[in-house]
Amino acid sequence: MSAEYHEPRGWAEAIAMLEKHGDDAVVLAGGTAYTLLLRQGLIRPAHVVGLRRLPGATRIDVDAHGGLSIGAMATHTHSLRAETVRGAWPELADALAKVATIRIRDQATVGGSVAHADPASDAPAMLCALGAQAVVVSGPDAAPRRVPVDALLVDLFTTSLAPAELIHSIEIPARTPWTRAVYLKYTSRSVDDYATVSVAARADIVDGAFRDLRIFLAGVGPKPMRASSVENALRGAKADGAFAEAAALVRGDVDPIDDVRGSASYKREMSRVWTERALRKLAA
């Protein structure tokens, strides 16, 4: 039996549909993950709630302080080409440009990528490193809540979203004059493949020292993995020194598995290599 398709014209209407149909409903954003899951027989929804007509869902704005807000339904292509994104966070645009192929980027949405919670995806890891928050909306009596993206992503294909909650937008704080960021992606196969390991990092470098360093790795655990050991080792340290020693600590921060992109031990070693490269690029 085919699913019944719904296309609400407002956020409250979309949430009401999800509340009404419960576990029989799935949300359709860009549709790239939905199509794959459907073909693999992993989902068999009775109701599909499409979000493409929700008002303001594709907007991209910069606030008076330089903070960036990306509507959940903005596609990767729209986002990476937007002057507001390239002006505020060109490093995010670079990360989005590394997602799969242009056909996928034209279709897949930033909010959908976060909600899908694929641990090898590019955008969520970079958003975690940038300290981004998801603006989450629910029923008519509930105020929107802001959830750090790294807290929203809790496990493999699992978020902390309630069944009738939706990501409205993604907010990224403004950078300072001292902020630097980088996204490095290593694939052992084609360039449009999921990462064997990718590293997203940002830091303020003040008086030659690291401040507010955040490092997340994708493809080496059930969610973007925070390199807390590396961050702690370099907190307040000069950005010209012991990168190799600090990067080696990342092997204890990741939790990879053996798969077609490499063994767990190989991914741990590549995590070390690419974390060191990210640190050197931040400091360059």
Side-chain angles (χ1 to χ4, degrees):
M1 184 177 70
S2 60
E4 183 177 355
Y5 180 69
H6 309 271
E7 202 165 77
R9 301 302 180 100
W11 292 92
E13 183 184 0
I15 291 164
M17 288 179 177
L18 294 176
E19 290 175 337
K20 176 181 178 180
H21 299 297
D23 292 341
D24 291 329
V26 299
V27 174
L28 180 66
T32 53
Y34 171 86
T35 301
L36 182 62
L37 294 172
L38 194 67
R39 286 177 176 173
Q40 292 177 336
L42 297 176
I43 57 172
R44 284 289 183 266
H47 298 271
V48 177
V49 180
L51 306 183
R52 66 175 182 169
R53 297 196 182 276
L54 295 182
T58 62
R59 62 167 181 74
I60 301 176
D61 301 317
V62 175
D63 64 28
H65 305 289
L68 184 64
S69 179
I70 300 177
M73 288 294 288
T75 66
H76 288 65
T77 295
H78 177 46
S79 301
L80 72 91
R81 291 180 178 174
E83 289 300 322
T84 45
V85 175
R86 302 188 71 83
W89 286 104
E91 301 90 350
L92 174 60
D94 179 61
L96 295 174
K98 290 181 168 66
V99 174
T101 65
I102 189 169
R103 291 182 64 186
I104 296 296
R105 295 192 294 271
D106 284 350
Q107 191 72 22
T109 66
V110 174
S113 178
V114 173
H116 184 49
D118 187 325
S121 290
D122 302 280
M126 191 61 178
L127 293 171
C128 288
L130 298 182
Q133 294 186 325
V135 178
V136 177
V137 294
S138 54
D141 298 326
R145 62 188 183 101
R146 285 168 169 76
V147 186
V149 171
D150 58 309
L152 189 79
L153 304 171
V154 298
D155 207 338
L156 181 70
F157 302 117
T158 304
T159 72
S160 61
L161 290 170
E165 286 187 319
L166 293 171
I167 296 175
H168 178 274
S169 56
I170 302 293
E171 295 186 346
I172 305 164
R175 69 194 306 139
T176 74
W178 307 280
T179 301
R180 302 178 188 179
V182 63
Y183 183 74
L184 300 180
K185 179 178 181 178
Y186 168 61
T187 62
S188 57
R189 304 194 300 180
S190 64
V191 294
D192 58 358
D193 191 15
Y194 280 117
T196 301
V197 59
S198 63
V199 182
R202 63 87 61 205
D204 288 347
I205 298 182
V206 183
D207 297 328
F210 284 116
R211 298 286 187 274
D212 299 323
L213 178 62
R214 294 173 62 90
I215 307 170
F216 285 82
L217 292 90
V220 288
K223 61 180 182 177
M225 305 298 286
R226 188 164 190 174
S228 299
S229 298
V230 183
E231 295 175 3
N232 292 335
L234 292 174
R235 184 171 291 114
K238 289 295 183 181
D240 61 359
F243 298 136
E245 293 85 347
L249 299 173
V250 78
R251 289 179 290 205
D253 293 324
V254 298
D255 187 22
I257 61 171
D258 298 337
D259 61 20
V260 296
R261 294 175 184 87
S263 67
S265 60
Y266 177 72
K267 292 177 185 178
R268 278 197 173 88
E269 187 60 17
M270 289 300 97
S271 295
R272 179 195 64 79
V273 169
W274 288 87
T275 297
E276 181 179 350
R277 292 184 184 184
L279 291 170
R280 293 189 182 281
K281 189 163 185 178
L282 278 182

